Amino acid sequence: MADCSSIRKFKDAADYRKNFIIQGEIDKYLPGGRHFIDEALINRCIKEIAEKPADPVQVREILAKSESTCETLLPEETAVLMSASADSALFAEMRATAERIKKKVYDNRIVVFAPLYMSNLCVNGCKYCGFREGNALQKRRVLTMDELKEELDVLAGRIGHKRLIAVYGEHQTTSTEYIAETIETCYNRKVPAPNTGRLNSIRRVNVNAAPLPIDDLRVLKKVGIGTFQVFQETYNRKLYEEMHPAWSVKGNYDWRTTCFHRCLEAGVDDVGLGVLYGLCDWRFELLATILHARDLERWFNIGPHTLSFPRLEPASGTKVPEESPWLIDDDTFERIVTIARLSVPYTGIIITARESPKSRNRLIGGGMTQLDCSSNIAIKGYSDFANEAHQEKERQQFMLGDNRSIEEMVRYLADRGTITSFCTAGYRCGRTGGCIMDALKTGREGKFCKINAVLTFREWLDDFASDETRAIGDKLIEKELAGIKEWLPKFYPTVMKQYEATCRGERDLFF
């Protein structure tokens, strides 16, 4: 068990709200009280650049810079792309460049994962969220370790997932000690696969939780946390304060925005940024995200491992998702994701099952690198519901739009020539943080990941796929192996030894 002796204990919600935030861990990253989210700069970029016609020559220079360097753009350059994205011809060039960058950095892979909601108790009062304190419609529960094992038996034993995003409400009963115990439980559970009986397990647990102090983050680092993901919801301070009451822990804007600085200081070197699109002007939010990424790079020379793009979706007990004046359509959403790929070229881009199948399908080539499937976000939803598509508004944070199973997703991706990756190897080989940033920017990481994608895809096809899906996957793997032989001829025999061992039943082989 993890050593949690450094974690502070709180007697109740009032004590937690009053004493959880450590002001000194905010101040050190806001020297002189100046915040790195420069709203005046953002507003100037929108008014003076994004709202004026773009110069095609300048646009193409920015696209060339993005593709050649894979470095985070300046906010002014991102604003130029915002303007250009309204021109259909220029946007077509942007989209094509984004596709090439995605192929350069990540190859033709899509990484799959599943969300696993551990609890929906919360001490906050976010006006748009079904989990907020005081929402009497929400059915509250916290998974016990036995219940968590039941969820894992479905996720790892029936569906075949190997990567999770574990999601926690902010509450004193589900603090760091609980998070650490659930992560260890996930890693320790071994479940036989239906086709072969070979043991499958979760190999990477990413976490979506509330911002934590440095000592707590160090505890999670020791138990093997993957990416630590915190969504800012909105970077607009005034709107943030309207949406998040001052009495709540989440009402502290500076505590939330400095979360990733604390992560990187604590050694949790893969961090995931996200904004809840639909609360505010998308241009403001995306420019603020760029500033956030650049400040992390300034302090630690490490940018975000992933960017997520959740949109406001209906939730129990709130009308905000229907009444917000900033809701965006699918065309605008594609513009946002494309600009993000160009602005932070090295980062992973996650598009979750909040989106409709149509929306996610159109983003696969141009920017997306990760998606979830066979998802159920009700607390204990996987083991309670035989049908993964079943949803209950009062048991989940919001409603999902894409209920496709992992079988459906694998076949859809394969028909597009895209390989489904279950790989978690890089994280266990130390290719994280600054190391993976360099590998991503040069395209080296994509080569390792292609090989590991083939090995893990072979595992999943043999252990979990139907005969029809396995036949489709076999053809794609044959094509992928031929490609590996062409661009890595000297290494190809070594790859084939691992591949043949996987076919014989060995598991978790990687480079």
Side-chain angles (χ1 to χ4, degrees), residues 1-14:
M1 294 292 293
D3 179 7
C4 296
S5 58
S6 62
I7 298 174
R8 296 170 299 152
K9 303 295 191 295
F10 302 91
K11 60 184 180 181
D12 54 28

Side-chain angles (χ1 to χ4, degrees), residues 84-149:
S85 68
D87 180 302
S88 59
L90 286 175
F91 183 68
E93 293 185 41
M94 291 168 58
R95 169 81 189 211
T97 305
E99 290 177 355
R100 291 195 300 272
I101 291 172
K102 192 266 179 181
K103 182 72 182 295
K104 171 186 174 181
V105 178
Y106 290 95
D107 214 289
N108 65 326
R109 300 174 298 115
I110 292 288
V111 172
V112 295
F113 66 93
L116 175 53
Y117 277 66
M118 301 289 187
S119 64
N120 60 355
L121 273 65
C122 194
V123 299
N124 296 313
C126 311
K127 293 182 179 180
Y128 48 82
C129 182
F131 283 2
R132 74 188 183 284
E133 184 180 85
N135 178 18
L137 297 176
Q138 188 74 195
K139 299 175 181 177
R140 308 285 179 174
R141 78 185 298 168
V142 177
L143 290 182
T144 66
M145 293 308 117
D146 285 340
E147 289 173 331
L148 173 55
K149 291 172 185 176

Side-chain angles (χ1 to χ4, degrees), residues 317-328:
T318 176
K319 294 295 184 182
V320 172
E322 289 86 4
E323 296 175 352
S324 172
W326 296 106
L327 299 178
I328 54 176

Side-chain angles (χ1 to χ4, degrees), residues 38-102:
D38 186 339
E39 293 200 12
L41 172 61
I42 293 171
N43 289 326
R44 283 199 304 273
C45 285
I46 293 172
K47 184 176 181 61
E48 298 176 9
I49 303 174
E51 292 183 348
K52 295 184 177 179
D55 176 1
V57 174
Q58 185 183 22
V59 172
R60 290 173 185 128
E61 289 173 350
I62 294 170
L63 295 180
K65 173 186 174 181
S66 176
E67 187 171 1
S68 63
T69 69
C70 280
E71 299 287 349
T72 304
L73 295 181
L74 298 169
E76 293 85 355
E77 292 169 325
T78 296
V80 171
L81 297 182
M82 290 176 175
S83 173
S85 68
D87 180 302
S88 59
L90 286 175
F91 183 68
E93 293 185 41
M94 291 168 58
R95 169 81 189 211
T97 305
E99 290 177 355
R100 291 195 300 272
I101 291 172
K102 192 266 179 181

Side-chain angles (χ1 to χ4, degrees), residues 8 18 157 165 171 213 219 276 369 403 405 410 432 440 465 485:
R8 296 170 299 152
K18 182 179 179 180
I165 179 72
H171 194 268
V219 169
L276 186 54
T369 61
N403 289 313
S405 70
V410 164
T432 62
L440 288 168
K485 183 176 183 180

